[in-house]
């Protein structure tokens, strides 16, 4: 258990409303990631963070922003939700695996529906 | 840029039969390789990983995978599947030297166990 929680676990919202998803870790790992999962696409990286206030874009960052004001929390915000952002969102942390790389461990996911 | 191909979107197999799930990656640079499993309505769980050393890697639940550098493949195998192996399996690759430990993901393979 990598000590990752996500909230909320389920959310239904309307087009145009802002939405914030929270990822919380208990073990002070430096790297955190937000992915979205859609059928046929596997996981696609939205944003990642390599430290407090240090973030960068991933493959599908348009329409999303992130913030990390504390090591343990990584927030994903949809400024104005659209139906194309209906998806399952996963947070991950990176844990040292030796040999110069890390292994990613995942939270339970948030299912977001935008009507 | 690195890409990952999982050649089968679904693999149906009878219970107690052997199974192979195929994964190929595009770049011949040094890589780290991972297989994750996602049971229905759950998050992703690390199944096994290849970082270095022996090309045959053993993971949890009786799964193993073989790294083949010349064929840029990392196929997952199990000699006898059980109904509880019903899940979606994801292959992921990380390039050696990626300081942000980003993973490139395949689209996933659904393993369907027939009784």
């Amino acid at each position: 258990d990598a000590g990752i929680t996500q909230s909320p676990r389920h959310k239904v919202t309307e087009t145009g409303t802002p939405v914030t998803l929270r990822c919380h870790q208990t073990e002070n790992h430096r790297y955190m990631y937000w992915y979205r999962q859609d059928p046929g696409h596997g996981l696609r990286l939205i944003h990642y963070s390599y430290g407090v206030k240090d973030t960068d874009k991933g493959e599908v960052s348009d329409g999303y922003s992130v913030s990390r004001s504390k090591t343990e929390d990584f927030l994903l915000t949809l400024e104005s939700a659209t139906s194309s952002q209906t998806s399952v969102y996963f947070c991950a942390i990176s844990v040292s695996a030796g040999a110069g790389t890390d292994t990613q461990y995942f939270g339970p996911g948030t299912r977001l529906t935008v009507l | 840029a690195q890409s990952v191909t999982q050649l089968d979107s679904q693999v149906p197999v009878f219970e107690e039969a052997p199974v192979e799930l195929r994964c190929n990656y595009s770049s011949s640079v040094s890589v780290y390789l991972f297989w994750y499993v996602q049971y229905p309505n759950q998050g992703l769980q690390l199944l096994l990983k290849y970082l270095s050393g022996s090309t045959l890697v053993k993971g949890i639940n009786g799964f193993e995978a073989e790294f083949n550098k010349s064929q840029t493949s990392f196929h997952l195998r199990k000699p006898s599947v059980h109904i509880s192996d019903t899940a979606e399996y994801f292959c992921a690759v990380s390039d050696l030297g990626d300081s942000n430990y980003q993973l490139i993901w395949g689209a996933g393979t659904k393993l369907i166990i027939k009784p």
Side-chain angles (χ1 to χ4, degrees):
Chain A
D1 183 0
I4 309 168
T5 57
Q6 293 185 232
S7 58
R9 293 293 314 279
H10 301 272
K11 186 169 182 64
V12 180
T13 191
E14 294 188 351
T15 298
T17 60
V19 176
T20 295
L21 308 183
R22 178 180 183 242
C23 176
H24 178 79
Q25 59 149 326
T26 59
E27 298 181 2
N28 289 325
H29 294 290
R30 182 181 171 197
Y31 282 86
M32 299 182 75
Y33 308 81
W34 274 109
Y35 292 94
R36 60 179 289 174
Q37 184 181 33
D38 304 288
H41 289 276
L43 276 80
R44 292 182 290 176
L45 183 66
I46 305 171
H47 282 278
Y48 65 97
S49 170
Y50 46 96
V52 173
K53 299 185 178 178
D54 291 322
T55 65
D56 206 348
K57 296 178 179 180
E59 176 188 358
V60 291
S61 59
D62 287 349
Y64 302 95
S65 62
V66 290
S67 66
R68 194 166 178 201
S69 59
K70 299 184 291 185
T71 300
E72 58 266 36
D73 289 324
F74 192 30
L75 304 181
L76 176 71
T77 296
L78 290 65
E79 302 290 348
S80 177
T82 68
S83 58
S84 64
Q85 293 176 311
T86 292
S87 187
V88 180
Y89 291 85
F90 286 101
C91 174
I93 61 171
S94 203
V95 178
S96 177
T101 193
D102 284 12
T103 297
Q104 291 189 19
Y105 293 89
F106 287 79
T110 294
R111 185 173 295 276
L112 176 66
T113 302
V114 183
L115 302 176
Chain B
Q2 183 71 261
S3 66
V4 178
T5 302
Q6 291 185 241
L7 295 158
D8 305 294
S9 60
Q10 291 189 53
V11 173
V13 62
F14 285 104
E15 196 168 11
E16 299 184 6
V19 69
E20 178 179 82
L21 306 183
R22 297 179 291 170
C23 173
N24 286 88
Y25 58 97
S26 61
S27 175
S28 60
V29 299
S30 295
V31 294
Y32 300 115
L33 298 154
F34 304 83
W35 276 100
Y36 285 82
V37 58
Q38 185 178 32
Y39 298 104
N41 299 312
Q42 294 188 26
L44 283 84
Q45 179 181 355
L46 180 67
L47 199 56
L48 50 78
K49 61 188 175 187
Y50 171 80
L51 303 180
S52 64
S54 173
T55 57
L56 183 63
V57 180
K58 294 189 183 298
I60 61 172
N61 301 336
F63 283 92
E64 62 182 31
E66 185 157 18
F67 168 53
N68 187 318
K69 187 174 182 179
S70 63
Q71 297 187 5
T72 61
S73 69
F74 191 52
H75 299 333
L76 182 70
R77 302 185 183 101
K78 186 170 183 178
S80 176
V81 296
H82 188 267
I83 195 74
S84 60
D85 293 322
T86 298
E88 190 160 17
Y89 293 79
F90 292 91
C91 180
V93 175
S94 177
D95 285 339
L96 181 68
D98 180 346
S99 59
N100 292 314
Y101 311 113
Q102 292 188 54
L103 292 177
I104 309 302
W105 294 85
T109 298
K110 289 184 179 178
L111 180 60
I112 300 167
I113 310 297
K114 300 185 286 185

